[in-house]
Amino acid sequence: MTEPATVKAALTSQSIETPSWAYGNSGTRFKVFARPGVPRTPQEKLDDAAKVHEFTGAAPTVALHIPWDTVDDYAALAAHARDRGLTLGTVNANTFQDDDFRLGSVCHPDPAVRRKALDHLLACVDIMDATGSRDLKLWFADGTNYPGQDDVRERQDRLAEALAAVYERLGDDQRMLLEYKLFEPAFYTTDVPDWGTAYAHCLKLGPRAQVVVDTGHHAPGTNIEFIVATLLREGRLGAFDFNSRFYADDDLMVGAADPFQLFRIMYEVVRGGGLTADVAFMLDQCHNIEEKIPAIIRSVMNVQEATAKALLVDREALTTAQRTGDVLEANAVLMDAYNTDVRPLLAEVREEQGLDGDPMAAYRRSGWATKTAEERIGGRQAGWGA
């Protein structure tokens, strides 16, 4: 059985990156729902992110999305983050919202469009240089809707060429994180549809190219923890995008749809040394009908709870049961850990850090929601159109 002090130390050192875009307005493909107090600038997004870290103690970095977080001075933005106890994390590129990218970006049949997309990716690396960010995260909406629309193999060649150019531009301490997605918006073929495609491209590029596992980007019934275990074994798991899904890429709060799946994933992370490796734990969520900061706080807490339960698995008893073929006992060891109420343990960890044991209650008492609703009047709220 893992000693409580060891569990506490692991939980204290865990950090979860929050996404800047989750603080802005979002919605379905039919409607974006605005809320009072939503940030109007990247700086105000960081102000909100600082509140999540203030009350959880576990969210010290914020991912940027370009061009949604475009500013004139990225070094100044990094300083704004530092002043609030944060650092700027992953830079996310956007090659899916320009009209020119209707038929794809780096996989587009037109070389001029491919060049435009590549220039954007290289500009994102320039931003990383200014912010001190380590990771560039790439997700491509590229694909086709109809058989025969484009040459499937040639699109892979175009993708490989663009990835190689970006990889060559990276600094020695920077990484490329390649994300995959089963479908949407392309419905016939997606150019990076699964972890195998992403892994194959990363292998050819080199060790600083890693795979991102977005928990909402798989077909129903996919064993995500198997993918996690395999990528960890191969040293190619670079990051998570944590969210929940019922049907497709629903981008709900992580742990909301299937908390047992999140536990199983985190067990493989613990088992494979992912807590001490360079695996980035990021949220990628859109809070459409719920309050944004409380939803992000709840998501951070859900990841912490799943991690705590994974750390409590009696590895010695599990190994014994597995090696003796005791199927029921092996399953029982996992279920005992999953069924443990770890909330008192996590409250204790927070209080030992000088935090309130209940981050949600602490945030409610802070009055931040009322304050921002009163102060953030005028201007254009951050968000994306549908």
Side-chain angles (χ1 to χ4, degrees):
M1 180 69 71
T2 308
E3 293 295 327
T6 303
V7 174
K8 285 184 176 181
L11 293 170
T12 301
S13 63
Q14 184 181 35
S15 64
I16 300 158
E17 185 166 291
T18 68
S20 68
W21 56 95
Y23 298 98
N25 288 321
S26 59
T28 69
R29 67 182 65 211
F30 304 108
K31 169 68 176 175
V32 173
F33 302 99
R35 296 188 67 92
V38 164
R40 299 160 296 181
T41 65
Q43 290 81 0
E44 289 182 348
K45 293 179 189 177
L46 293 174
D47 295 343
D48 283 359
K51 290 298 171 182
V52 175
H53 185 48
E54 176 183 339
F55 295 116
T56 65
T61 61
V62 181
L64 300 181
H65 204 293
I66 306 300
W68 298 345
D69 294 315
T70 298
V71 294
D72 293 331
D73 189 337
Y74 289 98
L77 186 65
H80 184 91
R82 287 193 299 272
D83 289 344
R84 283 145 185 81
L86 304 171
T87 56
L88 298 181
T90 307
V91 173
N92 292 257
N94 181 323
T95 58
F96 53 86
Q97 284 193 314
D98 192 291
D99 284 347
D100 284 343
F101 300 146
R102 180 171 57 90
L103 299 180
S105 60
V106 295
C107 300
H108 197 286
D110 186 341
V113 175
R114 296 201 299 273
R115 183 70 241 182
K116 177 178 179 177
L118 178 58
D119 286 345
H120 171 70
L121 302 184
L122 296 175
C124 286
V125 182
D126 292 339
I127 292 170
M128 293 167 63
D129 293 340
T131 60
S133 299
R134 179 187 64 172
D135 294 336
L136 172 69
K137 183 144 69 72
L138 304 179
W139 172 72
F140 298 105
D142 294 39
T144 64
N145 278 1
Y146 298 98
Q149 177 182 324
D150 200 358
D151 188 291
V152 173
R153 179 165 175 164
E154 280 190 12
R155 291 181 73 90
Q156 288 297 308
D157 292 339
R158 299 166 196 160
L159 172 64
E161 182 180 0
L163 293 177
V166 177
Y167 191 83
E168 179 67 23
R169 168 64 182 82
L170 293 175
D172 292 339
D173 58 347
Q174 293 173 335
R175 304 190 305 174
M176 173 193 296
L177 304 178
L178 183 57
E179 189 174 352
Y180 59 90
K181 188 174 184 179
L182 177 66
F183 77 103
E184 192 188 36
F187 295 110
Y188 174 61
T189 63
T190 301
D191 290 313
V192 191
D194 52 39
W195 72 276
T197 304
Y199 177 56
H201 280 285
C202 288
L203 275 182
K204 288 186 177 181
L205 291 167
R208 289 178 291 116
Q210 303 274 306
V211 179
V212 179
V213 174
D214 184 305
T215 52
H217 283 190
H218 303 86
T222 298
N223 190 318
I224 299 175
E225 56 268 31
F226 173 82
I227 298 170
V228 170
T230 301
L231 289 173
L232 275 170
R233 182 174 179 270
E234 298 299 321
R236 290 289 177 160
L237 179 62
F240 283 99
D241 272 358
F242 281 129
N243 52 60
S244 282
R245 50 159 288 167
F246 287 104
Y247 299 105
D249 185 20
D250 302 341
D251 274 344
L252 301 174
M253 292 188 301
V254 60
D258 189 350
F260 185 45
Q261 181 192 66
L262 181 59
F263 161 75
R264 300 193 311 265
I265 290 170
M266 290 311 302
Y267 173 71
E268 292 302 334
V269 170
V270 171
R271 165 68 179 83
L275 287 184
T276 55
D278 288 332
V279 178
F281 298 93
M282 298 181 282
L283 304 180
D284 181 13
Q285 303 173 177
C286 293
H287 304 293
N288 302 335
I289 60 174
E290 64 269 37
E291 292 182 75
K292 302 175 193 313
I293 296 177
I296 297 170
I297 290 175
R298 175 63 67 192
S299 298
V300 170
M301 294 172 66
N302 287 349
V303 174
Q304 290 180 306
E305 289 179 18
T307 304
K309 292 180 178 185
L311 288 164
L312 289 175
V313 172
D314 189 334
R315 293 276 297 281
E316 184 177 347
L318 181 60
T319 299
T320 298
Q322 289 171 340
R323 291 180 178 174
T324 58
D326 193 337
V327 176
L328 293 179
E329 179 60 20
N331 178 251
V333 171
L334 278 181
M335 295 309 299
D336 284 346
Y338 175 69
N339 289 321
T340 302
D341 185 357
V342 296
R343 291 174 296 179
L345 171 64
L346 281 162
E348 193 175 315
V349 168
R350 295 181 188 112
E351 288 165 358
E352 290 175 359
Q353 293 178 282
L355 305 173
D356 192 293
D358 185 345
M360 291 290 285
Y363 172 74
R364 296 293 188 195
R365 291 194 303 270
S366 74
W368 183 254
T370 301
K371 180 177 185 293
T372 54
E374 293 173 348
E375 293 180 352
R376 294 174 182 173
I377 303 296
R380 182 178 181 180
Q381 289 186 325
W384 51 269

